Amino acid sequence: MIQKPRGTRDILPPESRLFQAVEAAAHRVFQALGAEEIRTPLFEHTELFVRSVGETTDIVHKEMYTFADRKGRSLTLRPEGTAGVARAFLENRLDQRPLPQRLYYIGPMFRYERMQRGRYREFRQIGLEIIGASTPLADAECIMALWEFFAALEFDNFTVHMNNLGDPEDRPKYAQLLRSYLMGSKDQLCSDCQRRLQENPLRVLDCKVPTCKEVTAAAPGMDTVASQASRAHVEEVVSLLTSLGIPLKWNPRLVRGLDYYVRTVFEVVSPELGENTVVCGGGRYDRLLSDLGGPEIPGVGFAVGEDRLIDSLPPAFAAKVTTEVRLYLIPLGNEPALFGLQLARDLIRQGVPVELEVGGRSLKAALKRADKRGFAKVVIFGESELARGVVLVKDLRRGTQQEVPVAELAKDWQREVEP
Ligand code: ATP
Ligand code: MG
């Protein structure tokens, strides 16, 4: 039998409900803050990612799904969302609309990675970008939006790790400082990092190999050479978020895996998934749009790993979302079957979720199934009930039953779900 490609997932019920609930929360919270959804292609010209994400990053260096199309053009399945959003923003002249613009996206990303828990080759991200504002307030709003999104999912145990990556002018100074520091322990670094040391020493800080982590644990932070202006900027972001009561942890060696970030960078770590598992990463990218050939328009944003987020959802929230709350309609006989179909139609028109027994089960078998599926209420009707315009509603949790006029079934349900 043909199996799915390595690193991909089938998202099955009831887990698909968790994805829906998380995405619904994203739509709700981001739209409430004035953000609009943007959908960009799943593949782009390879050049876009090379120029924005950066040639020496792991993503571009070894994780991209790159292929030539039939005309020999090099295309790449998008490994992240910001580059495509920036490209679309410029190509469609969104800069001519009032700034800033808040754009969010939800969708699959592709990276050729070693598969493990929380690390897939096709995974989903939910991202928000605020394009056209350079103030610390914009960074703070971005992180506040993230926080509210998590709060809507009933998370209460995240910490935002933050750092200042300085301005682009500070970068060579820092690379030099870091290179000379790491040179002393060159032999302890993995072979990738020995290469990174020459090409882009900042990338060593992002390495997950334990011995490399040991070497970098006490390395000088970017803040030691960051410009005064970038420091003032990030300090203001920290102060705004602290006033909001969002727990922050300063991490001077946080660099993130993409080259386009400046000043504010942040990550959110999930305690459920272990200290190394990042559920969200983001930061400011003031040069990205101009690097792509557009005007100088600053931006700030984040991307949440939806698969990882769902893996660490609070159990009570997940249970609430996946619990079956619907009416199970059990017709007994031929005429009741047609009535059942009409009833199902009328109820769904009134917003009452139902499941019609279409398998021709006996009452006994249907009740057994209702129990197994966890239906709270079943609605039973045979010819004698229909003749009187009523149905029998059995409350399986309370162990009670009563006849309800057909016309009141929807109201009865509403009373149940919105007491
Ligand atoms: P990591 O350090 O775990 O490789 P990253 O720094 O490469 O993450 P980003 O590029 O910042 O991640 O992407 C943002 C978020 O997307 C991550 O925090 C993570 O939750 C999620 N993510 C990234 N790569 C994967 C993957 N291969 N599978 C599942 N989720 C992923
Ligand atoms: Mg990665």
Side-chain angles (χ1 to χ4, degrees), residues 123-406:
F123 60 99
R124 283 134 286 265
Q125 283 187 344
I126 298 177
L128 174 71
E129 316 286 358
I130 304 177
I131 301 179
S134 58
T135 59
L137 191 57
D139 305 34
E141 186 194 65
C142 188
I143 295 173
M144 181 268 277
L146 174 66
W147 199 257
E148 286 311 295
F149 171 48
F150 287 161
L153 303 172
E154 298 174 15
F155 280 109
D156 57 7
N157 54 357
F158 280 143
T159 304
V160 180
H161 294 231
M162 270 184 79
N163 191 18
N164 175 14
L165 275 193
D167 284 314
E169 300 75 42
D170 309 333
R171 207 59 65 80
K173 257 184 291 177
Y174 182 56
Q176 197 43 51
L177 182 71
L178 195 58
R179 190 178 285 123
S180 22
Y181 177 88
L182 296 174
M183 267 312 185
S185 330
K186 186 167 182 245
D187 299 340
Q188 281 140 267
L189 294 174
C190 71
S191 58
D192 271 342
C193 279
Q194 298 198 3
R195 171 180 53 79
R196 290 174 183 137
L197 197 52
Q198 294 314 317
E199 286 178 8
N200 186 351
L202 267 73
R203 297 270 72 86
V204 179
L205 297 180
D206 211 27
C207 184
K208 291 176 185 72
V209 176
T211 46
C212 296
K213 278 188 173 297
E214 265 168 49
V215 173
T216 56
M222 181 76 197
D223 42 355
T224 51
V225 295
S227 71
Q228 198 46 49
S230 75
R231 279 191 216 201
H233 180 102
V234 180
E235 274 163 23
E236 178 64 11
V237 178
V238 168
S239 141
L240 288 164
L241 293 171
T242 306
S243 304
L244 278 192
I246 295 178
L248 301 178
K249 194 173 159 196
W250 190 254
N251 177 355
R253 279 163 291 275
L254 177 69
V255 293
R256 314 274 318 108
L258 305 102
D259 274 352
Y260 50 61
Y261 288 128
V262 298
R263 298 192 170 189
T264 316
V265 283
F266 56 94
E267 277 184 356
V268 179
V269 176
S270 158
E272 270 83 9
L273 296 174
E275 262 306 297
N276 281 333
T277 309
V278 180
V279 292
C280 171
R284 176 158 281 287
Y285 47 84
D286 290 349
R287 296 283 171 91
L288 175 61
L289 280 87
S290 55
D291 283 352
L292 291 174
E296 274 191 25
I297 299 175
V300 58
F302 61 75
V304 174
E306 191 181 3
D307 306 72
R308 285 188 199 172
L309 186 72
I310 282 170
D311 244 6
S312 54
L313 276 178
F317 179 84
K320 200 166 61 190
V321 169
T322 49
T323 302
E324 278 281 10
V325 279
R326 62 182 62 242
L327 287 180
Y328 183 29
L329 310 180
I330 309 174
L332 302 173
N334 277 340
E335 251 174 74
L338 169 62
F339 176 78
L341 195 59
Q342 288 166 335
L343 185 61
R345 182 189 59 189
D346 294 347
L347 287 172
I348 64 170
R349 282 182 180 173
Q350 296 174 80
V352 181
V354 301
E355 180 173 320
L356 177 63
E357 170 53 46
V358 294
R361 284 186 174 79
S362 69
L363 181 58
K364 195 168 156 224
L367 287 176
K368 218 167 123 190
R369 176 161 182 280
D371 220 31
K372 217 163 102 190
R373 289 282 307 271
F375 290 123
K377 276 188 172 185
V378 299
V379 179
I380 304 163
F381 40 93
E383 270 159 34
S384 75
E385 281 82 18
L386 294 190
R388 288 182 290 124
V390 297
V391 290
L392 187 66
V393 177
K394 236 171 140 54
D395 187 323
L396 298 180
R397 263 180 275 182
R398 298 193 184 96
T400 58
Q401 64 178 50
Q402 72 182 116
E403 284 190 348
V404 176
V406 172

Side-chain angles (χ1 to χ4, degrees), residues 58-59 63 111 113 119 206 208 257 308:
D58 276 1
I59 295 180
E63 296 174 358
R111 296 184 193 177
E113 299 212 59
R119 195 173 290 286
D206 211 27
K208 291 176 185 72
R308 285 188 199 172

